[in-house]
Amino acid sequence: MAEYVFELSEHTDTAVFYGVNNRNLQLVKDLCPDVKIMARGHVVKVTGSEAATARVAEALRKLERFALDNNTLAEEHIIDLLKHGTQPAGIALEHLILHGVHGKSIQARTENQRRLVKEFEENDLLFAIGPAGSGKTYTAIALAVRSLKNKEVKRIILSRPAVEAGEKLGFLPGDMKEKIDPYLQPLYDALQDMITPAKLADYLDNGTIQIAPLAFMRGRTLADAVVILDEAQNTTTQQIKMFLTRMGLNTKMIVTGDVTQIDLPASQRSGLIDALDTLRGIKGIARVDFDMRDIVRHKLVQRIVEAYERKGKEKPSNDNEAI
């Protein structure tokens, strides 16, 4: 009798790999009656004859890789590999970034989104500037999740300034997390499209994914990470300088913002605009400008943005005017 024990990748979602109520695991057992398979958490043990154990262990590794790459594993994929001996085919899409929950394909859908993907591969600091709904933050988070799954980084850090959009919410109930979560909800929304709830909860609990207001970045050195600053137009010059100087070894930063939606007091210059001006032309820093053609929300969003843009051109310029 031979025994083979292996540990699943820390990024393998066991709910996807084993299936609901261990349905996938049970199917593998049914298709491989000549071996005994036991699984506990991320550890899988296969016992049987030497030849059968090696064959099933290799098949399980391939199924794990498929589940990790595609974020889904269905009955037909298992049957293809174990019964027919053919590698299950993933969804081949030209501009695919990663597969989200239930295998949903998350792609770079517009020219500027594809440019952001390209610049991310070539630069360590990116500025993604554009209107609401253009996919700049969503694409940035998808790139971060892909880097984490590919073990290019050890963690993802997402941040945004806790600035209210034109209204005072007063004191919020609860502990610190409950107080700041409303400001960070858009980041959670994107992550929930890409990572299953149980795995996302694990990542948040063990610090693999950290979501925090910008004020919590002071004094930190952020290494081995993809770090995203969202809504950067609402930072002050001191805040964005503090954020950018947190960069450590093997770290990429993406700064997103919309310079037409600044919620700072009129007398205060946006840190994003100041940074774009100060860092212009520095090697290793890229800027991608999104526009109304990139808007991928409801068709009315583009018309709304266009209407406000026309109205804005009629007003005199101020210190926070987009550069």
Side-chain angles (χ1 to χ4, degrees):
M1 293 286 286
E3 179 179 280
Y4 185 84
V5 180
F6 69 92
E7 189 170 352
L8 303 176
S9 163
E10 61 181 315
H11 301 305
T12 298
D13 191 331
T14 54
V16 172
F17 182 64
Y18 295 141
V20 177
N21 296 323
N22 290 329
R23 184 170 56 196
N24 291 343
L25 186 60
Q26 187 57 52
L27 178 59
V28 173
K29 291 179 178 180
D30 292 342
L31 292 171
C32 304
D34 50 344
V35 298
K36 184 177 180 181
I37 302 171
M38 295 182 64
R40 184 183 294 271
H42 277 64
V43 178
V44 180
K45 181 168 74 171
V46 183
T47 55
S49 69
E50 189 169 341
T53 299
R55 173 178 56 82
V56 174
E58 182 184 3
L60 286 171
R61 280 296 199 189
K62 290 180 178 178
L63 289 173
E64 183 202 5
R65 186 70 249 176
F66 182 87
L68 190 58
D69 289 343
N70 297 278
N71 216 10
T72 189
L73 184 62
E75 180 179 324
E76 59 266 27
H77 303 135
I78 298 170
I79 292 173
D80 280 347
L81 184 62
L82 292 178
K83 195 171 183 180
H84 304 305
T86 58
Q87 177 70 24
I91 302 171
L93 298 168
E94 185 180 359
H95 302 297
L96 179 72
I97 300 175
L98 79 159
H99 289 287
V101 175
H102 304 306
K104 173 185 176 183
S105 60
I106 296 172
Q107 308 174 62
R109 296 171 58 183
T110 70
E111 183 179 346
N112 284 320
Q113 289 178 12
R114 292 191 284 272
R115 186 177 164 220
L116 183 63
V117 173
K118 182 176 181 295
E119 295 291 358
F120 179 79
E121 295 168 356
E122 299 175 357
N123 297 276
D124 289 336
L125 173 58
L126 288 82
F127 288 91
I129 314 299
S134 54
K136 54 190 184 297
T137 301
Y138 195 84
T139 305
I141 292 176
L143 289 168
V145 173
R146 185 182 71 178
S147 294
L148 181 66
K149 287 192 170 188
N150 290 343
K151 297 185 178 181
E152 295 164 5
V153 296
K154 294 181 179 178
R155 55 184 174 159
I156 297 171
I157 300 169
L158 309 175
S159 185
R160 53 163 31 193
V163 176
E164 296 156 351
E167 52 185 324
K168 299 298 180 184
L169 302 179
F171 291 103
L172 296 172
D175 57 21
M176 180 61 72
K177 183 178 185 302
E178 291 169 330
K179 289 177 188 294
I180 64 177
D181 272 358
Y183 297 103
L184 306 172
Q185 191 57 49
L187 305 179
Y188 286 109
D189 290 343
L191 287 170
Q192 287 165 357
D193 264 5
M194 304 172 196
I195 305 171
T196 59
K199 193 63 182 178
L200 179 56
D202 286 344
Y203 281 152
L204 292 170
D205 286 344
N206 63 29
T208 299
I209 295 180
Q210 301 171 26
I211 306 178
L214 180 58
F216 286 27
M217 296 295 108
R218 186 173 296 279
R220 302 183 64 184
T221 299
L222 308 176
D224 288 314
V226 177
V227 188
I228 298 173
L229 174 61
D230 190 34
E231 299 288 350
Q233 75 275 5
N234 289 327
T235 62
T236 65
T237 54
Q238 293 83 3
Q239 284 176 325
I240 201 164
K241 179 183 176 184
M242 177 274 291
F243 173 81
L244 295 175
T245 54
R246 300 306 93 200
M247 181 182 286
L249 297 176
N250 190 39
T251 290
K252 286 180 179 281
M253 284 186 167
I254 306 177
V255 178
T256 71
D258 178 0
V259 292
T260 69
Q261 292 189 342
I262 296 171
D263 299 312
L264 296 171
S267 60
Q268 194 164 33
R269 180 169 171 81
S270 167
L272 176 59
I273 291 177
D274 186 75
L276 290 171
D277 186 35
T278 303
L279 303 177
R280 190 193 307 272
I282 294 180
K283 186 177 180 181
I285 300 177
R287 170 175 171 170
V288 179
D289 287 292
F290 291 74
D291 55 38
M292 286 172 289
R293 293 170 296 179
D294 297 299
I295 293 176
V296 291
R297 292 181 185 168
H298 192 286
K299 60 185 178 182
L300 277 178
V301 174
Q302 181 171 345
R303 298 173 191 169
I304 291 168
V305 171
E306 288 173 344
Y308 274 96
E309 190 175 79
R310 287 194 300 269
K311 184 177 180 181
K313 289 178 180 178
E314 299 171 4
K315 293 183 177 182
S317 62
N318 58 45
D319 202 30
N320 277 330
E321 185 177 358
I323 60 173

